[in-house]
Amino acid sequence: MNSAAKKGPGGRRSNPPGSTRTLALTVCSAAIGGTFQYGYNISIINAPTSYIQSFINHTYVDRWGSGLDTSQLTLLWTVIVSAFSLGGLLGALLAGPMAVHFGRKKSLLLNNSFLFLSAVLVLTCKLAKAFEMIIVSRFLVGINAGVSMNVQPMYFGESAPKHLRGAVAFSSAVFTAFGIFFGQVVGLTELLGTAPLWPYLLASNALPGLIQLMTLPWFPESPRYLLIDQGDREACIQALKRLRGGEVPSLEMEEMLQEQQQMSAAIKCGSVAPAKTPWSLFKDVDLQYQLRTVMIASSGMMLCGNDSFYFYASYIFQEAGIPQEKIQYITIGTGASELTASILSNLLIERVGRRYLLIGGYSLMVSPQRTNSHEDLAMGFKPDVLPDNHRHLCGADSSRTPGRADGGS
């Protein structure tokens, strides 16, 4: 085996140029049909809100002779939005078995089948006069997101060299933010965010999936999966050669061989199962600290309401008094802010560290909340009106017409 990497001036490692190029292309190919899709599918549902609600109402009139009231229409819209999250939960549960049985790369490729089926459903829902097809479509898109959000970081972490692992893994967040921003741009009324074109907007997620199907097969599988899960040492060496520019890092290979031997010995002794279930992870005393850390960090990110904001951006900005014709452009500004922050974090993660970036991000989320009341008073809101406004934003007052629930007419 060749040396891990050549050393340049000052004893620093210098990788062959082909190494970074192959890894970068692998990352782009996997992410365009992975976490990019997650962000894209979060944002594209906001632009056609009124058009979809109008379609639901007209469908109900055709079926039953009468339309839905505001609360019923809002409830159905919430079901459509929530179907994505429920599908994501199922996809997250499927991701582990898929990654073990099919491999990281093949799992991402197979995952596109959910997208293509969802695109067919949403493109034919008008012809079938069935808004239920949109619910099923969003559920399938959610499954795709759940699988990709779990398998793609695994694929990246196992394919990247140690000194680039943090930046490569964090690129998943960059592609998510880029997907959100790109979906907001595509959803503009000048592009696909119009009444006749909203089915094509929701089905446009099939295009990134098609790009991934055409490109990802040309790139190597995860070396760790090939050696440890498949026991194919030769295939692992070939994958490492492609990802490391023709060289097989001896230290990296030795670490994987050692891990393979430890896993094999543990499985033979019966102390470790070939693949852990979620329940066995919770029962493993050695992993409790890591699990707590992951759960706290992930919960803080998921419960901050960021994704919900993108789902209901039109409602929120309309309640905030933004003119209707400017809401779509304000929404793009929020996506651009997240994209900028994710790129900066990706550049800083190896220098600053994960912990400080997390603390800084949560601090930035908390600080605006402390100044909200002062900003509201400065804009001329009366203190006795604030609680009622906040109830409207949270959807507690169902008697009030919520945003664009009337179908945009």
Side-chain angles (χ1 to χ4, degrees):
M1 269 177 260
N2 297 328
S3 59
K6 295 177 182 178
K7 291 193 176 183
R12 297 179 64 184
R13 287 186 300 181
S14 59
N15 295 310
S19 166
T20 307
R21 189 186 310 118
T22 302
L23 182 62
L25 291 174
T26 302
V27 166
C28 290
S29 178
I32 198 69
T35 51
F36 173 86
Q37 288 278 28
Y38 170 67
Y40 188 76
N41 286 302
I42 282 177
S43 61
I44 59 172
I45 195 65
N46 175 64
T49 298
S50 61
Y51 308 130
I52 295 175
Q53 290 177 345
S54 178
F55 168 66
I56 293 172
N57 208 33
H58 291 155
T59 302
Y60 238 81
V61 170
D62 291 341
R63 288 181 185 177
W64 312 109
S66 62
L68 296 166
D69 59 34
T70 299
S71 60
Q72 292 172 323
L73 197 57
T74 304
L75 176 62
L76 279 175
W77 176 248
T78 304
V79 171
I80 291 175
V81 171
S82 302
F84 178 82
S85 301
L86 291 174
L89 175 61
L90 178 59
L93 296 174
L94 290 174
M98 285 180 66
V100 172
H101 288 92
F102 301 113
R104 289 37 162 167
K105 185 177 79 170
K106 194 175 290 185
S107 294
L108 289 173
L109 293 172
L110 291 173
N111 193 32
N112 288 298
S113 60
F114 298 112
L115 277 180
F116 297 142
L117 183 56
S118 73
V120 171
L121 288 173
V122 78
L123 286 173
T124 55
C125 67
K126 273 191 171 181
L127 184 64
K129 295 183 178 180
F131 63 84
E132 295 87 353
M133 295 170 71
I134 303 176
I135 299 175
V136 178
S137 171
R138 291 296 294 178
F139 182 76
L140 292 172
V141 169
I143 295 176
N144 172 272
V147 172
S148 64
M149 286 290 287
N150 286 274
V151 176
Q152 181 187 305
M154 193 187 308
Y155 182 42
F156 285 0
E158 295 175 358
S159 299
K162 204 172 258 188
H163 67 287
L164 291 176
R165 201 162 290 166
V168 170
F170 201 88
S171 65
S172 296
V174 176
F175 277 97
T176 299
F178 179 56
I180 290 172
F181 175 74
F182 194 74
Q184 291 167 342
V185 172
V186 175
L188 288 172
T189 52
E190 293 86 350
L191 297 175
L192 296 180
T194 60
L197 297 178
W198 68 261
Y200 298 98
L201 173 62
L202 296 186
S204 62
N205 54 21
L207 292 177
L210 185 61
I211 293 172
Q212 186 182 72
L213 280 179
M214 295 171 63
T215 57
L216 190 58
W218 298 98
F219 296 103
E221 176 60 273
S222 157
R224 185 188 179 279
Y225 167 78
L226 292 171
L227 180 64
I228 297 176
D229 292 326
Q230 294 293 300
D232 193 340
R233 180 170 178 172
E234 185 58 35
C236 173
I237 292 173
Q238 293 303 318
L240 277 175
K241 281 183 177 180
R242 293 187 61 191
L243 290 168
R244 305 294 182 265
E247 294 187 350
V248 179
S250 57
L251 182 60
E252 188 175 354
M253 191 68 191
E254 287 169 7
E255 287 177 352
M256 285 194 292
L257 287 170
Q258 187 178 4
E259 184 179 354
Q260 182 195 34
Q261 292 170 359
Q262 290 173 349
M263 285 289 293
S264 300
I267 291 171
K268 286 179 182 178
C269 295
S271 59
V272 176
K276 281 185 174 291
T277 62
W279 180 244
S280 65
L281 284 175
F282 285 107
K283 292 171 64 178
D284 194 331
V285 179
D286 296 331
L287 297 176
Q288 284 186 358
Y289 179 78
Q290 292 92 323
L291 279 174
R292 281 198 298 267
T293 304
V294 170
M295 289 173 65
I296 291 171
S298 299
S299 299
M301 180 179 67
M302 292 300 171
L303 296 177
C304 71
N306 195 41
D307 292 350
S308 300
F309 173 81
Y310 289 119
F311 287 140
Y312 298 102
S314 293
Y315 288 95
I316 294 171
F317 284 129
Q318 187 165 333
E319 289 287 350
I322 305 296
Q324 186 67 43
E325 66 277 3
K326 294 182 180 179
I327 287 178
Q328 58 180 342
Y329 304 108
I330 300 294
T331 304
I332 289 177
T334 63
S337 299
E338 182 170 347
L339 178 59
T340 303
S342 63
I343 292 174
L344 287 174
S345 298
N346 198 34
L347 296 174
L348 294 172
I349 189 169
E350 294 296 345
R351 297 183 180 182
V352 179
R354 284 75 162 161
R355 185 167 175 268
Y356 287 111
L357 281 178
L358 279 172
I359 293 172
Y362 292 141
S363 301
L364 288 173
M365 282 194 294
V366 171
S367 57
Q369 305 303 320
R370 300 180 63 183
T371 58
N372 273 347
S373 58
H374 299 289
E375 292 176 356
D376 289 339
L377 291 172
M379 292 174 66
F381 289 109
K382 294 181 181 180
D384 58 336
V385 180
L386 280 174
D388 199 35
N389 281 346
H390 286 301
R391 280 198 297 273
H392 291 328
L393 282 173
C394 297
D397 187 359
S398 59
S399 63
R400 190 181 188 279
T401 302
R404 297 158 65 179
D406 59 350
S409 56

